[in-house]
Amino acid sequence: MNAANLVLRPALKTMTTLIAMAFITMGLSVVTSSTATAQESATQQSMASRWTSDRYEFRVRHWINKRRANNGMSALTTVACATRTANRWSAHLAETDAFYHQDMGNLLSKCSAYYAGETLGRGGISPYRLVTMWMESAPHKAVLLSANAKRIGIGAVVDSHGQWLTTANFVKL
């Protein structure tokens, strides 16, 4: 055996072992990833089935008001026009499999409001987790903690993926 083989052979063996381990690791992570995705989907669907729309909406409002109280702000009370608009918007987004904000001018005019803000959420998550996620996002947190908001309307529906699609409309009449 020449000197080049003595040096290259162990290096080639090490490299082959590392490549094989990388493929095995990638294969395991793909399996783990698809397993996790299936588990997440099942969890989301079971989360959606645990709640009625009315109860889910009530708990979202509860957690929003809890966060407002923690920040020295008054609780928001529900108002029919914002609730109707939120319910219609959530249903529209669920039916069209879309996710975007409605025109706030629509909310202002329908409710004869002076202020309107909106947050949207989608997922197989609890009301607590939804509000926590909003509070972790600066733009959403600004809407939840707006001193302008005095009333709220919440609409939550389960979409075709088994996930909650939630609209929270904040208004000042």
Side-chain angles (χ1 to χ4, degrees), residues 69-139:
N70 291 347
N71 285 276
M73 304 186 78
S74 61
L76 302 173
T77 56
T78 57
V79 63
C81 68
T83 300
R84 276 192 308 273
T85 305
N87 278 318
R88 277 195 291 252
W89 191 246
S90 288
H92 166 74
L93 293 176
E95 289 166 10
T96 60
D97 201 22
F99 193 73
Y100 60 95
H101 290 284
Q102 63 185 308
D103 178 4
M104 290 295 97
N106 180 39
L107 187 57
L108 288 167
S109 69
K110 284 189 177 190
C111 294
S112 299
Y114 299 100
Y115 167 83
E118 178 176 82
T119 57
L120 299 175
R122 175 182 253 161
I125 55 179
S126 70
Y128 174 82
R129 182 69 187 131
L130 175 65
V131 174
T132 298
M133 290 170 63
W134 283 338
M135 290 296 289
E136 291 170 351
S137 160

Side-chain angles (χ1 to χ4, degrees), residues 41 43-49 123-124 157-164:
S41 179
T43 300
Q44 288 177 350
Q45 288 181 354
S46 71
M47 180 66 70
S49 65
V157 299
V158 177
D159 68 12
S160 63
H161 307 289
Q163 299 180 349
W164 284 106

